[in-house]
Structures are given as structure tokens and as C-alpha cells.
Amino acid sequence: MLNVNQLIEPKSRLGDIRGGAISFLVAVPLCLGIALASGAPLFAGIIAGIVGGLIVGIFSRSALSISGPEAGLIVVTLSTIEALGSFPAFLLALCIAGLFQIGFGFAKAGNVSNFFPSSVIKGMLAGIGIMLIIKQLPHLVGYDADAAEGLVLFQPNGFDLNEQLRMAMSQFSLTAILITVVSLTVFYLWERPAFKKQAFAKNVPAALIVVVLGILTNELMKLMAPHWALSGNHLVQLPVPDSVDAFFKLFTFPDFSQWSNPLVYSSAIAIALVASLEALLSVEASDELDPLKRKTPANHELKAQGIGNVISGLIGGIPLTSVIVRSSVSINAGARTKLAALLHGSLLLICVVTLPSVLNKIPWASLASILLVTGYKLARVDIFKATFAEGPAKFIPFCVTVLAVVLTDLLTGIGIGMVTGIFFILRDHYRNTHRVRTEWDSDIKRIHVSLGDYVSFLSKARLMKLLKSVPDNAIIEIDGSLSSYIDSDVVTAIQNFGIGAKQRNIRLIFRPNPAVDIPSIYSPSEHPPRKNSLQESQFHLHGQINTATVGR
């Protein structure tokens, strides 16, 4: 829960106000753009931003993380709405997803992100970035049909990307293109090292300038050349309530009649997994940026995120999670407590109540430019280069995940990437089972085998291959003194090798870790040596192996 003492530190209050205000300015266009790309009502993005700032801000123990709708949730939201057939049914799935997240927190699943290979996570984000880039191309030239929002390249209804681009080029708008060029120029300037040093660039986000310039450009067109001005679905179209009652009618509520629909529960699991993973990764990144190096309790954060998604689903919002873009902007502006997150949510609420007509002047070309840059940051070339430098075991799963996400959908892509990543993990485990050193003692070949820390059944195949290659009259020493675990299948393989070792005049010396119990290697009539007196004791493996020396 909220610690009020954090909000009364005089030294941090100004930085928190600045951080909350700037993150709010970034959040407005992103909330709208992500709602658009998710196939949800535009107001749903604002609701998620408000709930993320206020509700999650109250319950979270993260000092600096700011929650709201995030680009990584676009595909799962869009696919879920399409699968369930209606937005109210999706809201029910979102409520259940929030309950799942709360359950994850009580089950102490906060470390679940550690079980996903980093290459797969990077590939997932890069794949989402590429899809964001591709799907914004029609909007950049003024083609704003709803059909352009399906974040799948090859759609089952046959209306694919090529058709969308062809239609876009036949319906382009010069004003939209002008706004796009101006917007991308602003983003380019904001990234220049010389411009970054300016106080204006540090305190005012590029996304705000893009939105303001987009509005001004179109308003000038209305005065100078009305027939070139953007209108209709080329602009944001938030409903403008004319009364308090009309405002509350903007909220959508879950369709509880869908309780018996099994797709609701499978969709809820998908939303919960993706939202939880995004939250854990973003909170971890926010903690790294924290000048005070505070650590957010991962399990408690899952509960806070779950509460936020339950409330967002109940009142008509889209999924929310911790957002590293808003969090980093807030931190860079001087935020030091969660006052910034609470202010961010409060400003969003005030804005949607008092300034909806201003928001409706924002051209979609401006929002598409913001999403295009967001996609580029998720899939920039440096990420591919850095992953390539880590070697094939990282780069191949990364690329497979990227391609799978782009060509299929998010969940399928992650699944394919996980399978690929697990394959390389198993391969590395197989290769690093043991180390072999060979030397000659007079005319006798001596083979030293050092087992790894964890010798599972996966190690059996490679060890068997080594044992079969041992020549007659040789000495083989298998050192497991540093192994914390040796699977019984591996011990049995050593035992079976000992059956033929005597006939081939092979001397087998096995040194297990005294702290590891491996009872299967002792014959029923014998007892293992005591763990505290093992230095010079000897034992035979069922009488089959010539000598097995246990020692240091």
C-alpha cells in the first residue's frame, strides 16, 4: 500500500511533479495509439492509463514504476477481442486475468521471468516492434481504415498487408504525409547528442511536440486550404460528454454471461502471463534506473498489477502493466517517489473530463509516428547486433522468435521461441556435462573425466559415448567430487560399463562427492563408507568394477 511518508519529502516533491507531468504528456498519445492498435475503443486506453497511475500506484511498492497500457500487450489484446467476438467479453477475460495475476503473487511466482531465456524475451519485443512499424505505414500516409489495425500479416479473411498498402497508396493525404515528416524530424532532432543537452529537450518529451505540431499543422490547413485539412477518421475521435451522466455512459462493462465460455479462461491466462512478464521485466528495469537502488518486491507487484487489471476490466479499460518508457521519462525528469505515478494518473483523469475536444484534434498521422518510433526502439538494429555478438545459442532463438511473432501471433511466436531456446539450453547442457583430459602413464592411457555440478539423465548419452571409446588396458578416472547431484541413470551407466571393464583390463576409478547419496552403486551386501571418513576407503560396484576409490 501507499506509504504517505514518501510523498512529503520536500527535496523530491518538485522532481516528482515534473516527472508526473511529463510522463502524463507522453501517456496521452500512447494510450490512444495503443487502444487504436489493440482494436479497442479509444476511451479504453485512457481508462487503463488512469487505473495504472492511480490504482496500481496506490497498491504497488515500486517507488518509480508507472503503469498503463503498453505496446507489448497490443497483439494479445487484439487477438483476444477477435477470438471472443466482442469487447465486453474481452473485459470479462481481463478481470479474470487480473485475478490470475493476484494468484500468481500469492503463489510467489514473481521470479517466473527468470525462467524465460532472455533471447526469447528480446525476440518477442523485437517482433512486436517490427509489427508496429509495418502496421503504421498506412496511417503515415493518411489511410486510417479500421482494417489496417490487424497486427497479423496473413489474415484468414484474405485482407492482407499487401492489399492494405495498395489501398493506402490510392487514398493517401498530403497533409498526413506532411505531419508525418514533421513528426519524424522532431524525433530525429530529440535524439541528437547536441540537442539532448538542451534544457528544453530534457524537460519536454518529443511525443508532446509531435502532437502539438500535428494539431497546429492541421488547424493551419483548415484556414489556408480547407480541402486539404484532415477530418473524420483521420483524427482522434474520443466521445465528448456534455454532462456527468453522459461521461459515465462512456464506460463499458464486462459481459458476465460469458462465464461459461472456455475461450474466456484461455484468453485470461494468455493476458495474465504476458502482462505479468512485461510487468516484472519493466519493474526490474525501473529498479536499475533508480538512483537510490530500491528493490521492488516482485510478488507484491504481481498483486498490484492484478488489482489494476481487475478494475480496468470492470470499467472498460484495456490491459495494463508497468511501462518502462513512462517510468524512465519520469525518472529522468527527477521523480523519486510514487507521487509521480499518482500525479500522472490524476492528470489523465482531469484531461479526459475537461479537454476531450482538444484530444479530438490530434491527427492519427501524429500517433502513427509515435508508434513507429516506439516500434523502432523495440526492434532497433543495435539489439540484433548485440544478440548476434552473444553467439548462435542466443541469436538463433532470438531470430526464430522474431520471425514467429511476425508471421503468426504473439503467443505462438513465444511458444516457438521457447522451444528453440530450450533446444539450445539442452544442447549446451549436453556439451558441458563433463570435461575430459587424457595423459599417458608409461604405456597406459589414463583418462580423467570431471563431472559437472548437476549431472542429470541428459548427461547419460554423452557419457556413454565416452565410455564406449575407452580402449583396452586403460585407466579411466571419473571425478564427481564437485557434483551436487548425480542422476541414478548416470550411476547405472557407470555400473554397466564396469561389467565389461574387468574383461577388457580397464581400471575404473570413481570419486563421488561425499555429500551426495548414490545408494544404487552399492551391492545389497555392502554398506557405503561413512561421509566423514572417506579419504582412503575403497569399495566395489557390485563387484563388477576392479577398483573404485573414494577420496578427495
Side-chain angles (χ1 to χ4, degrees):
M1 291 289 292
L2 177 65
N3 183 356
V4 179
N5 292 330
Q6 290 181 325
L7 306 182
I8 59 176
E9 299 175 7
K11 293 183 179 180
S12 66
R13 187 175 301 163
L14 182 59
D16 291 331
I17 293 174
R18 187 168 59 247
I22 293 178
S23 61
F24 149 72
L25 294 174
V26 173
V28 171
L30 287 180
C31 286
L32 296 172
I34 290 171
L36 168 72
S38 300
L42 298 181
F43 195 66
I46 299 295
I47 291 174
I50 294 171
V51 173
L54 293 177
I55 305 302
V56 178
I58 291 173
F59 286 95
S60 174
R61 291 181 183 172
S62 175
L64 298 175
S65 175
I66 298 179
S67 297
E70 206 272 339
L73 294 167
I74 290 175
V75 179
V76 68
T77 302
L78 179 65
S79 60
T80 301
I81 293 174
E82 292 177 348
L84 295 177
S86 72
F87 187 63
F90 164 80
L91 293 178
L92 177 61
L94 178 57
C95 292
I96 297 174
L99 295 177
F100 278 130
Q101 287 185 285
I102 296 173
F104 293 161
F106 281 108
K108 301 188 183 303
N111 294 323
V112 66
S113 60
N114 296 329
F115 294 94
F116 285 79
S118 60
S119 57
V120 174
I121 301 303
K122 292 178 182 177
M124 174 194 72
L125 295 175
I128 292 171
I130 291 173
M131 290 308 304
L132 281 177
I133 293 171
I134 293 174
K135 298 303 295 184
Q136 299 316 306
L137 296 179
H139 291 293
L140 296 177
V141 296
Y143 177 65
D144 301 302
D146 292 339
E149 297 315 317
L151 283 178
V152 179
L153 283 181
F154 306 103
Q155 298 184 19
N157 60 9
F159 191 71
D160 61 14
L161 177 68
N162 292 330
E163 179 67 12
Q164 294 172 24
L165 292 178
R166 185 189 66 78
M167 293 182 64
M169 294 309 297
S170 65
Q171 302 178 31
F172 69 90
S173 166
L174 291 178
T175 302
I177 294 174
L178 174 62
I179 291 173
T180 297
V181 172
V182 172
S183 300
L184 296 180
T185 301
V186 169
F187 279 116
Y188 176 80
L189 292 175
W190 248 251
E191 292 298 322
R192 296 299 89 199
F195 200 80
K196 280 184 175 181
K197 296 178 181 179
Q198 305 300 319
F200 180 77
K202 290 181 180 179
N203 296 322
V204 181
L208 172 64
I209 301 301
V210 164
V211 171
V212 172
L213 289 179
I215 294 175
L216 292 177
T217 301
N218 195 50
E219 292 300 311
L220 286 175
M221 282 294 177
K222 288 181 180 180
L223 296 175
M224 299 171 59
H227 59 285
W228 290 109
L230 298 176
S231 60
N233 65 351
H234 295 293
L235 304 176
V236 170
Q237 293 180 308
L238 274 177
V240 181
D242 53 7
S243 65
V244 175
D245 291 338
F247 172 74
F248 284 105
K249 289 180 180 179
L250 296 176
F251 294 88
T252 307
F253 302 102
D255 181 3
F256 291 101
S257 67
Q258 295 290 319
W259 276 110
S260 59
N261 185 352
L263 281 178
V264 168
Y265 297 93
S266 59
S267 300
I269 293 174
I271 295 170
L273 290 175
V274 175
S276 298
L277 183 58
E278 288 274 354
L280 293 173
L281 294 176
S282 296
V283 166
E284 184 177 348
S286 298
D287 289 344
E288 287 294 322
L289 296 174
D290 183 3
L292 302 179
K293 299 303 177 186
R294 290 162 289 189
K295 186 66 176 176
T296 301
N299 294 317
H300 189 89
E301 184 65 23
L302 286 178
K303 298 174 187 176
Q305 296 290 333
I307 293 171
N309 275 315
V310 169
I311 295 177
S312 183
L314 286 174
I315 60 177
I318 57 178
L320 56 87
T321 186
S322 174
V323 186
I324 187 59
V325 175
R326 271 169 251 183
S327 304
S328 61
V329 167
S330 177
I331 294 170
N332 291 334
R336 292 298 177 266
T337 75
K338 62 170 61 183
L339 174 62
L342 296 172
L343 180 61
H344 154 273
S346 301
L347 290 175
L348 275 174
L349 178 60
I350 295 170
C351 179
V352 74
V353 172
T354 61
L355 302 174
S357 58
V358 175
L359 296 180
N360 284 345
K361 295 181 182 294
I362 301 175
W364 279 120
S366 298
L367 297 182
S369 299
I370 295 172
L371 289 174
L372 181 76
V373 173
T374 301
Y376 171 75
K377 290 181 178 180
L378 291 174
R380 61 187 185 275
V381 177
D382 291 344
I383 296 175
F384 286 81
K385 290 182 178 178
T387 309
F388 178 79
E390 295 179 6
K394 295 287 187 181
F395 188 64
I396 293 177
F398 169 79
C399 290
V400 168
T401 305
V402 171
L403 289 174
V405 168
V406 171
L407 298 177
T408 59
D409 57 71
L410 183 64
L411 295 180
T412 304
I414 293 176
I416 295 174
M418 281 293 293
V419 170
T420 308
I422 290 172
F423 168 79
F424 279 92
I425 291 173
L426 295 179
R427 188 198 67 161
D428 290 344
H429 180 82
Y430 174 81
R431 289 182 173 181
N432 298 322
T433 297
H434 56 263
R435 298 187 303 275
V436 180
R437 186 180 80 256
T438 302
E439 59 186 33
W440 290 90
D441 186 359
S442 298
D443 294 332
I444 300 176
K445 186 175 185 179
R446 182 182 290 269
I447 302 171
H448 300 268
V449 181
S450 299
L451 299 180
D453 175 67
Y454 189 88
V455 186
S456 70
F457 72 95
L458 298 173
S459 310
K460 179 181 176 181
R462 189 161 180 251
L463 184 61
M464 287 294 296
K465 182 178 180 181
L466 171 66
L467 294 177
K468 289 179 180 178
S469 68
V470 176
D472 295 348
N473 305 314
I475 300 174
I476 179 170
E477 300 179 42
I478 301 178
D479 184 4
S481 60
L482 299 179
S483 301
S484 60
Y485 173 80
I486 302 178
D487 191 271
S488 59
D489 287 353
V490 176
V491 177
T492 301
I494 296 174
Q495 175 184 337
N496 291 338
F497 173 76
I499 295 175
K502 184 175 182 179
Q503 287 73 20
R504 298 171 55 195
N505 195 31
I506 296 175
R507 185 184 178 192
L508 174 62
I509 304 173
F510 180 54
R511 298 186 177 92
N513 187 338
V516 178
D517 292 326
I518 45 175
S520 61
I521 69 172
Y522 300 104
S523 65
S525 61
E526 296 174 329
H527 298 280
R530 290 176 299 175
K531 292 181 180 179
N532 294 329
S533 58
L534 297 175
Q535 286 189 342
E536 298 297 335
S537 58
Q538 295 182 340
F539 62 90
H540 295 278
L541 299 181
H542 296 271
Q544 307 292 352
I545 298 178
N546 292 345
T547 305
T549 305
V550 180
R552 290 182 179 176

